[in-house]
Amino acid sequence: MPSLLPKTPQFFQLHHIEDQALATEAAAGLLAASAWASPKFFYDALGSRLFDAITELAEYYPTRTEAGIFTAHGAEIGAAALKLTGTAPALVDLGAGNCAKAARLFGWLQPRRYVAVDISVDFLRHSLHGLQREHPQVDMVGVGLDFSTQLRLPPDVLAGQPALVFYPGSSIGNFAPDDALRLLRQAREAAAGGALLIGVDLLKPPALLQAAYDDDLGVTAAFNLNLLKHLNRLLGANFDLRQWQHVAVFNAAQSRVEMHLQARLATTVRWPGAERSFAAGERVHTENSYKWTTEGFAALLRDAGFGSLQHWTDPQRWFGVFLAAG
Ligand SMILES: C[S@@+](CC[C@H](N)C(=O)[O-])C[C@H]1O[C@@H](n2cnc3c(N)ncnc32)[C@H](O)[C@@H]1O
């Protein structure tokens, strides 16, 4: 007789919030001549929820534009992906967040296994449990992992079978081109002869880019400032959020939107064993979002070893979805 108990996703936690290495990395960034913090520090449980709120904003075009591409071409993209991976592939979702984008692919792909990977472990666990209830037929695995240093999945998760690696939302844009290349090479290895399906934000007029990272309601500002709360917890630091403001600028020379936190007044931040003084106006650089041309991103995928490429865009050519294999 089949079990009446709800299925529970398997969970591997390879990343620990209190990991000393993360605290060391965060402290090194704050103590650098030009202070910086990795965008991965946005994503504690509140940060993940604030990101979800950002995707609802009128100014934040990437999520709805990418969704529009899947609405228009999803069946074609799904069929093209299955040709490369074989039927019922494992679907690996990098930076899965609320898992909603991958869930939209289930109808086209009928994956035998869904592997959701994210650094924001508690949020991922919650999202995956909800999704498992909606799709009891799919075998689900959660992996709490920081893939900015290395994308290495637990060995049994894919068992060497070809997979479709899904990396939506233009999160690849958070990596400078050399680091993006390294991550794409690792994604190709993880696909094990399958394919990569990746969403990429394309270059467009600066005013549109800037507004997407500096909305009038201040949700992106809260998302950026929440990083300081996360660092306070991680390091035992004493950032006073009211002394900091959100700044977003488009850096045309580097083809990227930058987010910073700027000190309103001269201030000193302390944590056990260290301190850092900031002059009024001094910044902590928290995120880069590189914007690509379709040709430039195709060249990057080829450099990463992918020989076969297909891509789809929206009518305004604001966003690209690439399917890469080989
Ligand atoms: C911009 S959100 C995108 C979420 C979702 N995939 C989407 O497209 O809407 C980035 C996601 O990647 C996760 N993430 C960021 N840095 C990461 C890292 N170094 N390792 C693993 N996950 C990371 C975040 O927790 C977050 O869920």
Side-chain angles (χ1 to χ4, degrees):
M1 192 177 141
S3 165
L4 296 177
L5 289 176
K7 210 166 157 184
T8 308
Q10 218 186 333
F11 212 93
F12 295 88
Q13 185 159 342
L14 306 181
H15 164 76
H16 293 273
I17 295 290
E18 60 285 349
D19 193 333
Q20 189 54 41
L22 273 184
T24 305
E25 181 186 339
L30 292 179
L31 292 171
S34 298
W36 64 281
S38 163
K40 68 188 175 195
F41 294 118
F42 290 138
Y43 297 99
D44 58 3
L46 178 59
S48 296
R49 288 186 170 84
L50 287 168
F51 177 74
D52 277 358
I54 288 173
T55 67
E56 304 280 324
L57 297 168
E59 294 95 331
Y60 197 75
Y61 62 83
T63 305
R64 65 169 182 278
T65 310
E66 187 181 43
I69 295 173
F70 279 103
T71 302
H73 306 288
E76 188 191 339
I77 295 171
L82 288 180
K83 264 194 193 160
L84 297 165
T85 59
T87 51
L91 175 63
V92 179
D93 188 3
L94 298 182
N98 63 17
C99 305
K101 287 186 182 172
R104 284 194 69 194
L105 301 180
F106 284 6
W108 292 302
L109 297 175
Q110 302 289 322
R112 74 186 148 78
R113 174 168 268 208
Y114 172 56
V115 182
V117 184
D118 208 292
I119 196 170
S120 187
V121 176
D122 294 338
F123 189 77
L124 177 65
R125 208 184 280 274
H126 176 81
S127 307
L128 204 57
H129 273 88
L131 196 65
Q132 181 77 82
R133 275 195 294 277
E134 287 170 33
H135 299 274
Q137 78 288 2
V138 181
D139 183 20
M140 294 195 185
V141 180
V143 182
L145 170 70
D146 174 4
F147 55 67
S148 63
T149 36
Q150 189 164 25
L151 171 58
R152 188 188 290 153
L153 298 175
D156 294 344
V157 162
L158 296 177
Q161 298 292 311
L164 181 65
V165 176
F166 183 46
Y167 195 24
S170 203
S171 294
I172 191 68
N174 290 155
F175 293 88
D178 282 354
D179 294 329
L181 182 62
R182 184 182 44 77
L183 182 57
L184 291 173
R185 286 190 173 130
Q186 292 175 6
R188 183 171 168 273
E189 269 175 43
L196 170 71
L197 183 61
I198 184 166
V200 184
D201 198 13
L202 301 176
L203 256 181
K204 58 184 64 61
L208 288 169
L209 290 170
Q210 185 120 5
Y213 294 82
D214 199 6
D215 63 279
D216 56 14
L217 204 53
V219 183
T220 313
F223 174 71
N224 196 8
L225 284 160
N226 180 58
L227 176 141
L228 298 182
K229 279 193 186 257
H230 191 179
L231 293 188
N232 278 349
R233 255 190 343 268
L234 185 68
L235 287 174
N238 67 343
F239 278 102
D240 173 357
L241 270 64
R242 290 175 200 279
Q243 296 187 352
W244 295 85
Q245 66 186 11
H246 166 70
V247 174
V249 286
F250 179 59
N251 178 336
Q254 302 272 2
S255 194
R256 68 189 191 201
V257 179
E258 299 177 1
M259 294 212 305
H260 301 260
L261 289 162
Q262 180 168 306
R264 293 178 191 271
L265 305 164
T267 183
T268 298
V269 179
R270 299 187 171 81
W271 61 95
E275 64 177 38
R276 167 76 194 250
S277 293
F278 293 90
E282 204 174 344
R283 292 173 175 180
V284 180
H285 188 167
T286 52
E287 187 186 61
N288 291 318
S289 291
Y290 284 82
K291 307 301 166 188
W292 290 88
T293 60
T294 43
E295 298 75 18
F297 198 73
L300 188 73
L301 286 167
R302 278 194 209 94
D303 279 357
F306 292 102
S308 139
L309 301 183
Q310 296 168 75
H311 81 272
W312 294 263
T313 55
D314 55 290
Q316 290 166 298
R317 300 181 67 80
W318 278 4
F319 201 91
V321 171
F322 286 76
L323 180 64

